Amino acid sequence: MTERLPFDPDRMRGPTPAPRRGSSAPLSVSRLGELIAQALQGGLPSAVRVVGEISNFNDRTHWYFALKDEHAVVSCVMFASAAKSAGVQPRPGDRVVATGSINHYAPQGRTQLYVERLEPAGLGDLEQRLRALVERLRAAGYLDEQCKRPLPVFPRAVAVVTSRTGAALQDVLDTMRHRCPAVGVVLVDVRVQGDAAAGQVAEAIRRINDRATDLGVDAVLVTRGGGSIEDLWAFNEQAVADAIFESELPVVAAIGHETDTTVAELVADVRAATPTQAAMRLTPDRAALREQIDERMSRLTLLVRRGAATERQRLDALASRPILRRPGSVLRDRRSSVSERGRRLVAAMRDHVRTERLRVAKLTGLLSRHQPATASVLRRERLGSLGERLRRAVDLHPRRVALDGLQRSLEDAAGARLERERHRAAALARELSIVGPVRVLSRGYSVTTREDGAIVREPADAPERAIIVTRLANGEIRSIVRTSDGSSAPPPTSPSAEAPPPRRRAARRSARRKGDDPRQHRLF
């Protein structure tokens, strides 16, 4: 950089002013501007090289910016013709070497460095601090996308952290009021520039998180207008980055202009280019909501109509069925059918019971006539008859046979026949105990007969004063049939003393003549 010479009034160009005589005449503004320009041209080299940091850069065909260091700021302008040859457009915070001349622009009263060439001179102090902080935050995970929180679809209220007097607040309020007035706004007034700004912003974010439930806040918006890197430096502090990262509520940051990038925006869950864009990201569009509601209402109406039409068709189909059109007649038909089937079932059951009763009675009669005791008596009588006939034959023909041998043969034959008959009777008794009525009686049933052995099936079979025998599993009970008034007649004489009817005696004689009764075999 060219060494700057000290200001020397004697080196000024132009006519020397007349000596002062008392109070001099006042100068016009134009004349003063000329004198300043002449003094600058005469007191400074025609070309100077200045080292500093770019600040307040503005691209409006020509480049307008400032060069600064720790103690001073110089306004600069670089015309479009020179800017095209510069190559890369500088960014705020870049450390450059500017080559140009100093001149005073009288119409605006501005003394500027008219830059003809820019050369990079390394990073400035603020830029170095910013990049170092960004690297530390990236290593700590502050910039990871996995840590970003999603924005609420329809927040109840949004807390706006900014200055009450800033233009950014008005942009946010106007945008949110236009898009969706239902979303509330909680303003937290803080300083957005200066040494105390970073602490106030961080404290505001923490307090909002502590009282989010009471305030009904669902998101935080941190914003301010544009400015130089120095003006925005409060949002490049570690304290603000920590508060945003630790916030439980999603944070949207919109700091400065679109070309400005701060640490708060990098750590925030969503970065917006401008305060207006941030308000649009947080506030649903009521017009779009209305369209969405109308579209869903149309779909819902269509679905309801289709469902109603389907159910109406189903109802008509059900109504066309006979059971629903004439339920009384259908029930009557079903009732008559059930009644008819019931009558048929009762009749069938009665017939079946009657048939089984007859079969049981028949079997009982056969069983009573072919009991082992009765068969044994019949066979004993037959043996006695045969023995009598044999004795008669022996008496008639004593000389034809040897009586001793005949007697032994007769005794052997009789003994053998008696043993066979005994075994046969025992076998019949065993079979009878298996299939006979005694087994049935052991289950709690009983059989009622008259004294002559006839089965009592109905009241007419047991006349008054008759003796009836109720056979049980372990014995029998004799009873006398009483009259209707409860009196009983004296029991008749036992029929066992009377002679059996002629038919029964004839049947027994026939059985003795013919041998075994075939009905006994049919029973088993």
Side-chain angles (χ1 to χ4, degrees):
M1 180 177 178
T2 304
E3 183 179 357
R4 183 176 180 179
L5 299 177
F7 178 74
D8 186 5
D10 296 335
R11 298 178 59 185
M12 294 178 59
R13 298 177 182 178
T16 303
R20 297 175 63 181
R21 295 178 181 178
S23 60
S24 61
L27 298 176
S28 65
V29 176
S30 300
R31 180 57 182 164
L32 180 60
E34 292 176 359
L35 293 176
I36 295 174
Q38 292 173 4
L40 293 175
Q41 292 175 3
L44 293 176
S46 59
V48 294
R49 300 180 70 229
V50 182
V51 177
E53 293 183 9
I54 296 290
S55 178
N56 292 337
F57 185 87
N58 193 350
D59 183 6
R60 294 181 297 179
T61 305
H62 309 299
W63 290 355
Y64 298 93
F65 55 94
L67 287 179
K68 64 181 182 61
D69 57 13
E70 294 82 359
H71 306 290
V73 177
V74 176
S75 296
C76 304
V77 61
M78 190 172 187
F79 295 118
S81 57
K84 290 180 180 179
S85 62
V88 180
Q89 177 177 308
R91 296 179 301 171
D94 289 350
R95 189 175 178 82
V96 297
V97 177
T99 303
S101 60
I102 301 295
N103 202 348
H104 180 74
Y105 186 55
Q108 295 184 356
R110 299 178 62 182
T111 300
Q112 304 179 98
L113 173 63
Y114 290 83
V115 181
E116 296 179 359
R117 187 174 68 254
L118 280 178
E119 298 173 354
L123 299 176
D125 293 338
L126 294 179
E127 184 72 15
Q128 290 178 355
R129 289 171 54 189
L130 177 60
R131 294 194 179 187
L133 178 59
V134 170
E135 292 301 324
R136 290 199 305 271
L137 296 179
R138 180 178 287 108
Y142 280 40
L143 309 185
D144 292 345
E145 289 298 327
Q146 293 81 0
C147 299
K148 306 297 183 181
R149 293 169 290 268
L151 298 182
V153 178
F154 203 124
R156 295 171 296 175
V158 175
V160 181
V161 180
T162 188
S163 174
R164 184 185 297 273
T165 60
L169 176 61
Q170 298 303 320
D171 294 341
V172 170
L173 294 178
D174 293 341
T175 303
M176 295 181 67
R177 189 181 303 111
H178 175 72
R179 286 178 62 84
C180 187
V183 178
V185 177
V186 178
L187 174 61
V188 182
D189 186 20
V190 296
R191 295 186 62 181
V192 293
Q193 183 175 340
D195 296 337
Q200 292 187 11
V201 172
E203 183 64 20
I205 295 174
R206 291 190 174 92
R207 288 190 176 183
I208 291 170
N209 278 270
D210 294 339
R211 301 187 58 190
T213 303
D214 299 335
L215 298 175
V217 173
D218 294 326
V220 179
L221 171 58
V222 180
T223 184
R224 67 148 289 168
S228 65
I229 188 172
E230 294 83 2
D231 298 337
L232 305 179
W233 191 255
F235 298 93
N236 291 325
E237 295 290 348
Q238 179 78 40
V240 176
D242 292 340
I244 294 176
F245 183 76
E246 295 170 359
S247 173
E248 296 180 359
L249 298 174
V251 179
V252 178
I255 311 299
H257 299 295
E258 185 174 359
T259 57
D260 299 323
T261 302
T262 63
V263 170
E265 294 173 306
L266 296 176
V267 179
D269 300 294
V270 175
R271 176 184 181 271
T274 61
T276 300
Q277 185 182 13
M280 294 177 64
R281 294 292 301 271
L282 284 171
T283 310
D285 187 3
R286 60 179 175 181
L289 289 176
R290 185 178 295 107
E291 292 179 0
Q292 185 178 4
I293 292 174
D294 293 341
E295 189 269 337
R296 294 191 176 183
M297 181 63 70
S298 300
R299 291 179 57 189
L300 181 61
T301 303
L302 179 61
L303 291 175
V304 170
R305 289 178 178 175
R306 288 181 178 176
T310 302
E311 294 300 325
R312 187 178 295 107
Q313 294 177 358
R314 182 170 176 268
L315 183 61
D316 293 340
L318 292 174
S320 63
R321 297 183 178 181
I323 191 172
L324 295 178
R325 287 190 304 169
R326 298 185 303 275
S329 61
V330 175
L331 290 177
R332 285 192 298 271
D333 296 342
R334 296 293 187 272
R335 189 180 293 112
S336 61
S337 175
V338 170
S339 300
E340 177 62 24
R341 292 185 180 183
R343 288 192 296 269
R344 292 171 57 186
L345 179 61
V346 171
M349 290 297 296
R350 288 177 177 175
D351 293 342
H352 181 71
V353 170
R354 187 180 300 109
T355 302
E356 293 300 321
R357 284 180 177 176
L358 293 175
R359 180 172 174 271
V360 170
K362 183 178 180 181
L363 293 176
T364 303
L366 291 175
L367 183 62
S368 64
R369 289 192 294 270
H370 297 282
Q371 291 182 357
T374 304
S376 177
V377 171
L378 293 176
R379 279 160 176 72
R380 193 177 293 111
E381 291 178 355
R382 185 182 178 192
L383 287 176
S385 176
L386 291 176
E388 183 63 26
R389 291 177 59 190
L390 181 58
R391 282 192 297 272
R392 292 176 184 174
V394 170
D395 292 340
L396 293 176
H397 305 283
R399 298 178 181 178
R400 295 181 181 178
V401 294
L403 293 179
D404 294 338
L406 182 61
Q407 183 176 359
R408 285 192 300 272
S409 299
L410 180 61
E411 290 176 356
D412 294 340
R417 181 63 180 271
L418 184 60
E419 186 66 23
R420 288 196 302 272
E421 293 299 329
R422 185 180 295 111
H423 287 303
R424 186 169 180 272
L428 292 176
R430 287 192 300 270
E431 293 181 5
L432 182 62
S433 64
I434 295 174
V435 301
V438 176
R439 181 62 61 88
V440 178
L441 295 178
S442 64
R443 295 198 298 268
Y445 293 92
S446 64
V447 178
T448 303
T449 63
R450 294 183 304 200
E451 280 193 320
D452 58 359
I455 300 298
V456 178
R457 297 183 177 85
E458 54 188 13
D461 295 337
E464 295 182 0
R465 295 182 297 175
I467 296 176
I468 58 175
V469 180
T470 303
R471 301 181 185 276
L472 304 175
N474 296 325
E476 61 183 21
I477 300 173
R478 290 178 174 270
S479 306
I480 300 174
V481 179
R482 297 179 182 274
T483 58
S484 59
D485 56 358
S487 62
S488 60
T493 58
S494 175
S496 59
E498 297 178 358
R503 293 182 179 179
R504 183 171 296 183
R505 287 197 300 269
R508 289 180 179 176
R509 287 195 300 268
S510 176
R512 284 195 298 267
R513 288 193 301 266
K514 295 180 180 179
D516 295 340
D517 190 348
R519 290 177 295 179
Q520 181 75 10
H521 297 284
R522 188 167 60 251
L523 179 62
F524 296 102

